[in-house]
C-alpha cells in the first residue's frame, strides 16, 4: 500500500522538523491540501508556504487542490516540482482540458470526487487519468470520521476502471487509520492519505509502517 501523509495535520510551528520526519520515514508521497475558503469552508496554506515545503521535502508531492478553478494553478503546482496534481471533478467546468494541461505540465493527473459524487461521472475521462482520489470525508478539514459508503465506491470504481481500460490508481482521503485502512485495502485501494492518524501518533514512521502493511 502506498501512503501519503497529509501535512494538514502537522505542527505548523515546526514545519521544518515535521518534514524532516517525513523525509526519514517510509512515506511514499507527501500529500498537500490547498484550500481557498470558497470551494471548501476552510483555508490551509498557499504557494509561499508550499515553495518552502517543496524545497525541504525529499518525497514526491501529491497536491490536492480544494479550490475553485484549479486549472489556474497548474503552472504554480508544476513549479513546485509536484509529481501528482489532484483536481476536484466538482470544481472543473472543462475537466478534459484541465487533465490535458496537467499532463502537458509534466505531472500525473488525478481527479477527486466528493463523497456524494458518483464514480460513474468519470466514465468519459477515466481512461485519461493516472489516479482517482475518492474523498471519504467532506473535504476541508482533517480529523473527521470515515464515511463507510466509500468502500462500495471503490468496488464500483474498479468495475469502471476495468470496463474503460483505465490504469488509474485509487487513492482514498479522509478518516484513514489502521482499521479503515485495512478495510480499504481489502476493497482494492492502492494509496491512502492519512493526516491525524500519522501526525497525531507518537512515532510517525511506526504509524506509516502500520498503514503500509494493512
Ligand atoms: C481533508 C483533506 C485531507 C485531510 C485528511 O479535506 O483532504 O487530506 O488532511 O485528514 P485525516 O486523515 O485526519 O482525516
Ligand atoms: Zn487531501
Amino acid at each position: 500500500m502506498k501512503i501519503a501523509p497529509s501535512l494538514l495535520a502537522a505542527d505548523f510551528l515546526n514545519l521544518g522538523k515535521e518534514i524532516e520526519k517525513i523525509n526519514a520515514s517510509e512515506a511514499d508521497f507527501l500529500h498537500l491540501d490547498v484550500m481557498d475558503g470558497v470551494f471548501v469552508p476552510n483555508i490551509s496554506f498557499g504557494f509561499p508556504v508550499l515553495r518552502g515545503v517543496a524545497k525541504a521535502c525529499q518525497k514526491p508531492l501529491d497536491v490536492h487542490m480544494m479550490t475553485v478553478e484549479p486549472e489556474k494553478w497548474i503552472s504554480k503546482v508544476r513549479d513546485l516540482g509536484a509529481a501528482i496534481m489532484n483536481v476536484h471533478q466538482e470544481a472543473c467546468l472543462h475537466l478534459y482540458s484541465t487533465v490535458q494541461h496537467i499532463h502537458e505540465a509534466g505531472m500525473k493527473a488525478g481527479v477527486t470526487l466528493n463523497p456524494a459524487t458518483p464514480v460513474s461521472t468519470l466514465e468519459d475521462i477515466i481512461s485519461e487519468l493516472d489516479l482517482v482520489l475518492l474523498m471519504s470525508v467532506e473535504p476541508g478539514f482533517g480529523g473527521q470520521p470515515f464515511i463507510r459508503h466509500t468502500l462500495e465506491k471503490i468496488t464500483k470504481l474498479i468495475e469502471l476502471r476495468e470496463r474503460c481500460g483505465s490504469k488509474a490508481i485509487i487513492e482514498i482521503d479522509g478518516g484513514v487509520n489502521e482499521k479503515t485502512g485495512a478495510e480499504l485495502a481489502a476493497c482494492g485501494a492502492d494509496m491512502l492519505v492519512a493526516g491525524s492518524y500519522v501526525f497525531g501518533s507518537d512515532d510517525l514512521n511506526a504509524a506509516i509502517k502500520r498503514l503500509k502493511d494493512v
Side-chain angles (χ1 to χ4, degrees), residues 71 74 87-89 92-104 109 111 121-129:
E71 63 277 4
I74 292 172
V87 295
H88 270 259
Q89 185 267 16
C92 295
L93 206 46
H94 304 292
L95 185 58
Y96 191 88
S97 323
T98 302
V99 166
Q100 268 186 322
H101 291 147
I102 295 172
H103 280 149
E104 282 161 15
V111 170
T121 58
L122 296 181
E123 181 167 357
D124 295 305
I125 189 80
I126 194 164
S127 59
E128 306 296 319
L129 302 182

Side-chain angles (χ1 to χ4, degrees), residues 31-36 39-40 63-71 85-96 98-99 102 109-117 121-122 125 129 133-140 153 173:
H31 183 86
L32 297 169
D33 291 298
V34 183
M35 304 178 188
D36 65 355
F39 181 70
V40 290
V63 179
H64 176 193
M65 298 300 295
M66 282 164 275
T67 71
V68 296
E69 301 180 303
E71 63 277 4
M85 179 166 177
N86 274 300
V87 295
H88 270 259
Q89 185 267 16
E90 305 85 0
C92 295
L93 206 46
H94 304 292
L95 185 58
Y96 191 88
T98 302
V99 166
I102 295 172
V111 170
T112 310
L113 298 181
N114 278 338
T117 306
T121 58
L122 296 181
I125 189 80
L129 302 182
L133 171 57
L134 296 181
M135 291 308 301
S136 40
V137 297
E138 288 288 13
K153 284 178 85 173
D173 185 2

Side-chain angles (χ1 to χ4, degrees), residues 130-210:
D130 301 295
L131 185 152
V132 174
L133 171 57
L134 296 181
M135 291 308 301
S136 40
V137 297
E138 288 288 13
F141 301 91
Q144 304 178 73
F146 179 76
I147 297 174
R148 298 197 57 78
H149 177 63
T150 313
L151 299 170
E152 290 161 43
K153 284 178 85 173
I154 296 177
T155 307
K156 288 183 188 163
L157 183 53
I158 290 172
E159 274 166 27
L160 184 70
R161 182 170 68 174
E162 273 165 24
R163 182 154 59 79
C164 299
S166 161
K167 293 193 169 66
I169 69 164
I170 302 176
E171 180 180 14
I172 311 294
D173 185 2
V176 170
N177 54 38
E178 219 179 324
K179 184 174 171 289
T180 56
E183 293 179 280
L184 290 162
C187 289
D190 302 300
M191 176 162 161
L192 302 177
V193 176
S196 29
Y197 179 73
V198 166
F199 284 97
S201 121
D202 291 340
D203 183 342
L204 176 138
N205 195 40
I208 291 171
K209 273 187 172 166
R210 282 196 295 276

Side-chain angles (χ1 to χ4, degrees), residues 24-67:
S25 78
E26 285 166 54
D28 297 281
F29 291 87
L30 178 62
H31 183 86
L32 297 169
D33 291 298
V34 183
M35 304 178 188
D36 65 355
V38 180
F39 181 70
V40 290
N42 197 11
I43 295 175
S44 53
F45 32 70
F47 285 90
V49 173
L50 287 169
R51 278 191 282 272
V53 168
K55 230 186 243 176
C57 185
Q58 291 158 7
K59 302 286 180 182
L61 304 179
D62 170 30
V63 179
H64 176 193
M65 298 300 295
M66 282 164 275
T67 71

